[in-house]
Amino acid sequence: MSTSDRLIESTRELLWERGYVGTSPKAIQQRADAGQGSMYHHFGGKPDLALAAIERTAQEMRATAATSFGGPGSAYARIEAYLRRERDVLRGCPIGRLTMDPDVIASDALRAPVDETIDWLREQLAGIVEEGKERGEFAPSLDAEEIAATIVATVQGGYVLARASGSPAAFDTGARGLLSLLAPAA
């Protein structure tokens, strides 16, 4: 792995663990086993490195979600695959956690990949719900954008509840509840 990649990966981990303020250049350098000169050779400073890390996290999250969204089966099955896919629920969502970081939210540049990813998720899910409506899987009265927002809110809320309780059961319960509401009539 290149020095640049080690710096980005270290920053990703530290942002997830400590947030923006708690992620110091020294901590990044130590975790990446890179010197100060290497960091500033590849990046203009902590904000540039944080942006690269957030963008990589966003790309990875979209790629993982796209696997569920583009998988086989009905619209319901693809939503179910997304909700039930393997996740480290107790660590929280790497993008969702950034929305709780005041320094990330205060920066238009750092917030942009977070907003874009959440918007992308809602758009993808709305498209799947529309497809399900067209195929008769879901009631024609469902608003695809509202259902997509509900799915994203359930996932993000599930992370919060799981972390608060120290158990992934809270996430799983929320996902099962949403799936039961979306389940096509027999």
Side-chain angles (χ1 to χ4, degrees):
M1 185 181 295
S2 72
T3 301
S4 174
D5 281 335
R6 286 196 325 269
L7 287 163
I8 291 170
E9 289 303 313
S10 296
T11 304
R12 287 178 65 194
E13 293 168 14
L14 288 164
L15 285 171
W16 200 354
E17 294 167 13
R18 303 178 184 181
Y20 186 81
V21 169
T23 300
S24 69
K26 184 176 182 176
I28 295 167
Q29 292 160 21
Q30 287 175 335
R31 186 164 294 191
D33 193 26
Q36 183 176 2
S38 293
M39 182 173 153
Y40 291 102
H41 169 74
H42 294 286
F43 301 96
K46 178 180 164 181
D48 290 343
L49 183 51
L51 179 59
I54 293 169
E55 286 174 340
R56 184 172 291 176
T57 297
Q59 290 168 354
E60 188 177 279
M61 186 173 163
R62 285 191 297 263
T64 301
T67 300
S68 298
F69 298 156
S74 66
Y76 179 86
R78 288 181 284 145
I79 292 169
E80 180 179 33
Y82 171 68
L83 288 170
R84 294 190 183 212
R85 75 172 172 76
E86 188 69 32
R87 334 172 174 253
D88 191 352
V89 176
L90 295 180
R91 272 190 90 191
C93 175
I95 290 294
R97 286 189 67 175
L98 292 170
T99 66
M100 305 298 252
D101 191 316
D103 295 287
V104 171
I105 295 305
S107 165
D108 290 341
L110 296 178
R111 190 180 66 247
V114 174
D115 288 343
E116 290 164 7
T117 300
I118 293 170
D119 288 345
W120 179 87
L121 280 169
R122 285 194 304 250
E123 289 170 13
Q124 296 299 306
L125 287 161
I128 293 169
V129 171
E130 278 298 332
E131 179 185 316
K133 287 171 53 177
E134 290 168 10
R135 292 182 176 177
E137 290 178 61
F138 300 132
S141 61
L142 287 183
D143 182 300
E145 290 180 14
E146 289 177 358
I147 297 302
T150 301
I151 295 167
V152 172
T154 299
V155 169
Q156 293 305 313
Y159 279 119
V160 170
L161 294 173
R163 285 179 53 85
S165 68
S167 169
F171 183 98
D172 297 338
T173 300
R176 281 193 314 272
L178 179 58
L179 287 168
S180 71
L181 292 171
L182 288 176

